[in-house]
DNA sequence: TGGATTTGACCAAA
DNA sequence: TTTGGTCAAATCCA
């Protein structure tokens, strides 16, 4: 935390202040005999504020001085990566070497270091739709793998236009151990194909988020082939996934398959989860227009803030997304040859309220 | 018949 | 050595 005006500090203070104010509101509501719903909502927000504060502290504490914006510990307890105040890398494409080379080398089997972020889609069997909604992009499944500690196999998809348009965007779909109706979709890389404008873009900074209109609809209309760039998720709940919990979740279950956007059906017939309905498919955070059409896959290295995950106001729905700052951050640091670990973190159990005051006084320097 | 999916094998990172 | 990610041949399907 360099200087007296670190982003973390301000954010932390803002969170605490917000929590205090919410507590006051709750107090007033208690006296005013407000509805239980209102009180519950306030409690939810208060808890959210404190959880965020704790995450900030946790994250900050795990970073070396002056590195908060550049690295993030890997592992479930990673906490939040806050790179918000980082400007979009002037030239993310050229700044990176390894990620870029990886991404440009389709033949390499090396684990790609691409911008990665996770979205979660909750489905339910009531609506009759088959599987989670299409995210607006054309994906082609190229693999499935049983993941250690996970009850369900993970499916791998890549852009249909990978060959024709050299679009290296990929996504992984993993059904939640704890909630079979919850799918965690990890996007890697950004679309550079013709459907890029519809593609899911990595979350961006809070600043950007503030500028985005927020859809406060608590219940998203069953998105029809919505654009990948999920406008605003109606979920206000941003859960961070605790990596440890995954392993903990144990029971077994049949593998699952995720319907591809082109087929709509389940990938694996034996799956008993047939009629899935997308209850929520959103992507927390806002997307800066400047991120919409990266010139190259590498350009997907965006500064991201966990808080951009904040968003609209759904009340009960599950959803959330998280981001992976790793590569994004590396874009900003590679120039200094700093080894950047693959920082993958997610936020689970954290409810980020849609009204997170990024404009809280002092939020920004 | 062409495009998409399945699945075992391979490879590199951890 | 283990595990995750990808490849590519086989298979499926419209």
């Amino acid at each position: 935390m360099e200087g007296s005006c670190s982003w973390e500090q301000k954010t932390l203070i803002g969170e605490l202040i917000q929590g205090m104010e919410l507590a006051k509101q709750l107090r007033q509501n208690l006296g005013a005999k407000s509805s239980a719903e209102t009180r519950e909502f306030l409690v939810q927000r208060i808890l959210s504020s404190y959880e965020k504060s704790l995450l900030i502290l946790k994250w900050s504490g795990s970073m070396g001085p002056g590195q908060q914006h550049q690295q993030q510990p890997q592992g479930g307890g990673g906490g939040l990566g806050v790179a918000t105040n980082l400007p979009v890398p002037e030239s993310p494409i050229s700044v990176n070497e390894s990620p870029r080379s990886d991404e440009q080398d389709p033949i390499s089997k090396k684990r790609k270091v691409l911008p990665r972020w996770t979205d979660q889609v909750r489905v339910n069997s009531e609506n009759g739709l088959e599987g989670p909604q299409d995210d607006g992009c054309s994906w082609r499944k190229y693999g499935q793998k049983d993941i250690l500690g996970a009850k369900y196999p993970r499916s791998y998809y890549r852009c249909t236009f990978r060959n024709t348009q050299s679009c290296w965007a990929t996504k992984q779909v993993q059904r939640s151990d704890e909630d079979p109706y919850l799918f965690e979709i990890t996007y890697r890389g950004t679309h550079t194909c013709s459907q890029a404008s519809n593609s899911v873009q990595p979350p961006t900074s809070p600043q950007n988020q503030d500028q985005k209109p927020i859809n406060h609809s608590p219940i998203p209309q069953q998105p029809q082939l919505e654009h990948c760039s999920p406008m605003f998720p109606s979920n206000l709940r941003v859960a961070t996934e605790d990596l440890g919990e995954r392993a903990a979740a144990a029971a077994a279950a049949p593998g699952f398959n995720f319907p591809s956007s082109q087929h709509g059906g389940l990938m694996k017939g034996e799956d008993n989860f047939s009629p899935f309905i997308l209850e929520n498919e959103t992507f927390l955070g806002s997307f800066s227009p400047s991120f919409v059409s990266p010139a190259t896959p590498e350009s997907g290295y965006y500064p991201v803030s966990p808080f951009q995950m904040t968003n609209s106001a759904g009340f009960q729905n599950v959803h959330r997304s998280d981001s992976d700052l790793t590569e994004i951050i590396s874009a900003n640091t590679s120039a200094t040859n700093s080894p950047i670990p693959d920082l993958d973190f997610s936020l689970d159990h954290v409810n980020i309220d849609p009204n997170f005051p990024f404009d809280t006084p002092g939020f920004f320097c």
Side-chain angles (χ1 to χ4, degrees):
Chain A
M1 299 202 190
E2 63 276 2
S4 59
C5 184
S6 76
W7 186 87
E8 295 82 8
Q9 278 186 314
K10 292 181 180 299
T11 302
L12 180 59
I13 292 171
E15 279 298 323
L16 292 173
I17 290 174
Q18 183 188 28
M20 186 171 69
E21 292 179 346
L22 288 169
K24 289 178 181 176
Q25 282 181 39
L26 176 60
R27 190 181 187 180
Q28 295 178 338
N29 279 315
L30 287 174
K33 297 178 181 178
S34 60
S35 69
E37 203 173 74
T38 300
R39 291 195 293 270
E40 177 60 32
F41 177 58
L42 287 171
V43 168
Q44 186 77 1
R45 293 187 59 188
I46 292 170
L47 290 174
S48 175
S49 287
Y50 284 109
E51 286 181 341
K52 282 186 284 186
S53 297
L54 288 172
L55 283 172
I56 291 170
L57 285 171
K58 188 174 182 180
W59 177 77
S60 296
S62 61
M63 296 300 215
Q67 296 184 347
Q68 286 88 342
H69 295 291
Q70 301 181 337
Q71 292 190 340
Q72 184 161 312
Q74 171 146 17
L80 302 179
V82 253
T84 55
N85 53 353
L86 291 175
V88 175
E90 316 88 8
S91 178
I93 301 169
S94 59
V95 179
N96 279 281
E97 289 188 10
S98 55
R100 177 184 175 79
S101 59
D102 276 342
E103 198 164 11
Q104 288 190 327
D105 178 11
I107 297 175
S108 172
K109 288 184 178 180
K110 288 176 63 179
R111 290 181 186 177
K112 307 231 186 289
V113 180
L114 301 174
R116 180 169 61 180
W117 65 100
T118 303
D119 191 3
Q120 281 197 341
V121 176
R122 186 175 180 71
V123 300
N124 66 52
S125 56
E126 301 166 5
N127 301 331
L129 293 181
E130 289 186 0
Q133 281 280 302
D134 174 15
D135 57 13
C137 303
S138 297
W139 299 99
R140 178 171 180 169
K141 187 175 183 179
Y142 65 87
Q144 179 169 304
K145 186 96 178 168
D146 285 325
I147 301 302
L148 190 69
K151 295 192 295 185
Y152 308 99
R154 176 178 299 167
S155 295
Y156 299 88
Y157 299 84
R158 63 188 175 204
C159 179
T160 299
F161 307 108
R162 182 188 179 100
N163 298 322
T164 59
Q165 298 181 37
S166 297
C167 178
W168 304 105
T170 65
K171 75 172 179 180
Q172 300 172 359
V173 178
Q174 175 81 57
R175 175 182 278 175
S176 169
D177 287 348
E178 297 116 13
D179 184 352
Y181 295 105
L182 186 61
F183 292 86
E184 183 174 292
I185 304 174
T186 299
Y187 293 92
R188 303 180 75 180
T190 54
H191 282 279
T192 56
C193 58
S194 57
Q195 59 184 347
S197 60
N198 289 338
S199 66
V200 175
Q201 300 298 326
T204 66
S205 69
Q207 290 97 317
N208 289 330
Q209 176 173 0
D210 272 350
Q211 298 167 355
K212 288 286 184 176
I214 294 178
N215 171 13
H216 288 283
S217 170
I219 298 177
Q221 305 172 340
Q222 288 303 319
Q224 303 300 331
L225 234 192
E226 58 178 347
H227 289 319
C228 278
S229 50
M231 275 343 263
F232 276 85
S234 38
N235 344 346
L236 97 60
R237 180 170 169 186
V238 173
T240 49
E241 74 189 281
D242 178 330
L243 299 182
E245 289 182 5
R246 281 187 164 279
F256 83 96
N257 276 281
F258 202 71
S260 76
S261 60
Q262 299 211 315
H263 294 281
L266 290 180
M267 297 222 156
K268 248 186 190 169
E270 68 266 23
D271 248 323
N272 25 3
F273 280 90
S274 315
F276 277 132
I277 302 226
L278 177 62
E279 178 179 271
N280 231 326
E281 175 167 4
T282 53
F283 194 90
L284 297 186
S286 57
F287 308 92
S288 167
S290 61
F291 295 154
V292 173
S293 44
T296 68
E298 300 79 40
S299 60
Y301 297 88
Y302 312 117
V304 175
S305 160
F307 297 115
Q308 54 201 20
M309 293 186 252
T310 306
N311 62 349
S312 48
F315 292 90
Q316 63 259 61
N317 291 326
V318 178
H319 180 64
R320 76 35 181 83
S321 80
D322 47 48
S323 60
D324 179 334
L325 303 181
T326 313
E327 300 79 6
I328 296 169
I329 295 171
S330 74
N332 292 284
T333 59
S334 59
T336 60
N337 295 322
S338 303
I340 305 298
D342 185 8
L343 310 174
D344 211 354
F345 74 92
S346 357
L347 297 171
D348 240 341
H349 315 309
V350 174
N351 299 314
I352 295 182
D353 85 71
N355 301 314
F356 179 65
F358 289 119
D359 52 348
T360 295
F363 186 80
F364 297 112
C365 294

